[in-house]
Amino acid sequence: MNVDFHCHILPKFDDGSESCEMSLEMLRREMANGVSRVVLTPHFYRSREDQRSFLIRRQASFDRLRRAMDEDGGVFPELRLGAEVAMTKELRFEDLSRLCIQGTNTLLLELPFQPMGSWFGDVRAIIERNTEKVVLAHVERFRDCLDKKAHAQVMELPCLKQINTSSVIEDGFFRRRQLLKWVENGDVHILGTDAHNLTSRPVNMKVAVNILLEKGYAAEVKEMMERAVSLS
Ligand SMILES: [Fe+2]
């Protein structure tokens, strides 16, 4: 089973899908991409909102989507409700269980887009308390804001790491070569589209999976998908 572990398909929630119609079309595209389970991971920013308010808003958006799916009557992927939790200082001292993918202790955590700083120790503390199974969202994107040494430290954190399909598809030669090395070495563990819409950040699982298969990573893709199933 193919799983999209990271996307912004919930309607009118964050900077992702702008309407129920767009969400339905994104879900149809997931199906067309061979994805049969989608983890919905809207942005959670603790600096802007507390957990309670986020969860109420998320449920309302999810209910709207469910109604639209029922009315449409089409065939859609299984849905799982989660969050992309932006790392902030206070998270270290909070119970994060309700931000995990529902029914699991899997937490999709987004690092700050900032140079190395005190946040690194906070992330490590969350990982090491072992209450949640932490998955770092699109770990490859932090090559943009961290120097080589700092990014290597992130890659060494004892947790799971997700990469975006768009990076597999669009990264330049050297960055993609590094990405493929990580796939080959088992340094990255899960694929997600991080889809936000139908155009600039679309559902594109199939193209990325096909690239990985062409490069000879069939076993790695299978393992990543199986892992995504068990974590969601
Ligand atoms: Fe995201």
Side-chain angles (χ1 to χ4, degrees):
M1 177 196 272
N2 283 357
V3 181
D4 183 357
F5 205 80
H6 179 169
C7 68
H8 300 269
I9 291 181
L10 271 189
K12 287 187 183 173
F13 190 89
D14 53 13
D15 56 342
S17 168
E18 291 160 13
S19 64
C20 277
E21 295 70 42
M22 187 185 278
S23 300
L24 291 182
E25 183 55 25
M26 290 172 85
L27 290 175
R28 284 186 205 106
R29 293 193 188 180
E30 293 278 19
M31 290 293 283
N33 272 258
V35 172
S36 38
R37 181 182 296 175
V38 171
V39 187
L40 304 164
T41 54
H43 288 291
F44 172 64
Y45 297 109
R46 180 63 183 82
S47 49
R48 298 181 197 164
E49 185 174 30
D50 63 22
Q51 288 195 34
R52 193 181 131 74
S53 148
F54 169 81
L55 293 167
I56 291 170
R57 280 200 313 124
R58 187 184 66 173
Q59 192 59 48
S61 176
F62 186 58
D63 291 346
R64 275 201 299 278
L65 178 58
R66 276 275 181 229
R67 272 199 300 277
M69 289 164 71
D70 288 345
E71 280 165 24
D72 182 90
V75 180
F76 295 103
E78 290 175 17
L79 301 181
R80 295 285 191 270
L81 211 39
E84 179 179 14
V85 178
M87 184 60 203
T88 56
K89 211 159 189 49
E90 49 273 72
L91 294 182
R92 182 172 172 178
F93 306 104
E94 290 189 7
D95 175 3
L96 304 178
S97 57
R98 291 184 306 169
L99 298 172
C100 292
I101 299 170
Q102 276 187 340
T104 76
N105 66 340
T106 308
L107 183 77
L108 184 66
L109 191 64
E110 182 186 39
L111 300 178
F113 284 97
Q114 287 167 13
M116 183 55 91
S118 61
W119 57 263
F120 186 76
D122 294 328
V123 170
R124 183 184 281 284
I126 290 176
I127 293 168
E128 286 179 350
R129 73 189 186 190
N130 258 328
T131 325
E132 299 82 18
K133 240 178 238 155
V134 172
V135 178
L136 295 183
H138 42 60
V139 74
E140 79 286 4
R141 287 186 60 196
F142 299 95
R143 288 177 295 184
D144 294 332
C145 54
L146 294 172
D147 61 41
K148 241 181 161 165
K149 187 171 158 240
H151 194 268
Q153 281 178 272
V154 166
M155 291 301 292
E156 280 163 20
L157 283 169
C159 66
L160 297 165
K161 287 138 202 136
Q162 177 255 319
I163 54 169
N164 280 357
T165 47
S166 55
S167 302
V168 175
I169 298 165
E170 294 160 11
D171 262 6
F173 179 79
F174 290 105
R175 282 166 69 105
R176 186 152 78 162
R177 191 170 67 178
Q178 185 177 42
L179 202 64
L180 295 176
K181 250 295 158 269
W182 288 336
V183 171
E184 188 173 318
N185 294 341
D187 294 330
V188 293
H189 310 97
I190 295 169
L191 282 173
T193 63
D194 201 4
H196 278 64
N197 52 46
L198 298 167
T199 49
S200 58
R201 301 180 75 180
V203 170
N204 54 11
M205 183 62 79
K206 198 177 216 165
V207 179
V209 165
N210 283 344
I211 289 173
L212 293 172
L213 295 181
E214 278 164 24
K215 300 274 179 193
Y217 297 121
E220 288 79 359
V221 169
K222 186 166 175 279
E223 202 176 329
M224 285 196 281
M225 290 304 175
E226 285 171 357
R227 188 180 290 117
V229 169
S230 73
L231 287 167
S232 62

